[in-house]
Amino acid sequence: MKENKIYNVTKGCRWVLKMNKSNENLEKIKGGLIVSCQALEDEPLHSSYIMARMAYAAWEGGACGIRANSPKDIKEIKKTVPLPIIGLYKQVYSDSKIYITPSISEVDRLIEAGTDIIAMDATNRLRPNGITLQQFFKDVKSRYPDMLFMADCSDFKEAEFAQSLGFDLVGTTLCGYTEDTKDVKLPAYELLKEMAGKLYIPVIAEGGIWTPEQLKTAMNTGAYAAVVGTAITRPRDITRRFINAL
């Protein structure tokens, strides 16, 4: 099998994909909107059935992909939605600040659920049991060499390092959520420009996109695709945003 490669040319504005079977899902999300359908246990819509219906509505609305949390939600979504799923599994460990797919156990469960792309925290923080990202990803990639992996990063150095490790795509997902980036204004357009201009793997715009205008601006940075979650699928937060305007 040929090595999975995606090349960014003309400073991220055009992408050339060396096609093989595992990369078909990357072609499907190219230039489109991925809708994040997630609801944690303390949220009113916490239900795999509800997330599946939310994903179905997103598909009908024109979404090119779904980002979902937990094997249970992913399995339910896949029953009715024929879109590529970026799957993650949020778990809290007492010895690590990382909770987006923090250990191999979560990766195994996501594989079993049939996720198409696995997303994981790719910040420079240590994982449970003091494991580095490099150690962790080497193990993951050796177990699942044909799986596509997305690196959720907070800054350019992390994204560049993730690319060097062999991640297939990288997102701005955690910009604004780490100690070093907590003061960054979202959406992180400047980070997107730098990543899209200097990296050769697809860059996914994610984080803080609330309006169609912001989405368009994010895509104009050279992003391969974009993820929007809260602004579409979290009515409690959407309601609060309107209330705050009063």
Side-chain angles (χ1 to χ4, degrees), residues 45 50 122 127 140 204:
L45 298 188
I50 293 175
R127 312 186 86 82
V140 168
I204 308 299

Side-chain angles (χ1 to χ4, degrees), residues 27-144:
E27 268 294 298
K28 291 178 181 178
I29 66 172
K30 182 180 179 181
L33 172 64
I34 300 159
V35 175
S36 181
C37 299
Q38 301 182 46
L40 300 177
E41 292 183 5
D42 63 344
E43 296 181 66
L45 298 188
H46 178 67
S47 160
S48 294
Y49 172 76
I50 293 175
M51 287 302 100
R53 301 315 297 169
M54 192 77 79
Y56 190 89
W59 172 43
E60 285 196 330
C64 68
I66 302 295
R67 182 170 163 114
N69 170 46
S70 84
K72 187 176 181 181
D73 284 10
I74 292 166
K75 288 178 180 178
E76 193 68 25
I77 291 170
K78 287 182 74 70
K79 290 179 182 178
T80 56
V81 179
L83 297 176
I85 296 180
I86 299 176
L88 58 137
Y89 195 5
K90 293 179 178 177
Q91 291 289 293
V92 176
Y93 287 79
S94 61
D95 61 342
S96 176
K97 292 183 178 180
I98 289 177
Y99 66 95
I100 298 178
T101 320
S103 79
I104 194 67
S105 175
E106 286 78 50
V107 174
D108 291 341
R109 293 286 305 282
L110 290 170
I111 293 289
E112 292 171 4
T115 189
D116 301 293
I117 301 169
I118 292 179
M120 62 180 66
D121 184 312
T123 63
N124 58 17
R125 300 173 295 185
L126 292 177
R127 312 186 86 82
N129 298 314
I131 297 174
T132 65
L133 174 64
Q134 185 173 10
Q135 293 172 308
F136 177 68
F137 192 68
K138 182 179 179 181
D139 184 18
V140 168
K141 198 64 176 175
S142 66
R143 292 197 194 195
Y144 305 109

Side-chain angles (χ1 to χ4, degrees), residues 143-159:
R143 292 197 194 195
Y144 305 109
D146 296 325
M147 175 55 60
L148 295 172
F149 292 97
M150 175 176 171
D152 289 347
C153 299
S154 69
D155 61 30
F156 178 75
K157 288 184 178 179
E158 291 171 351

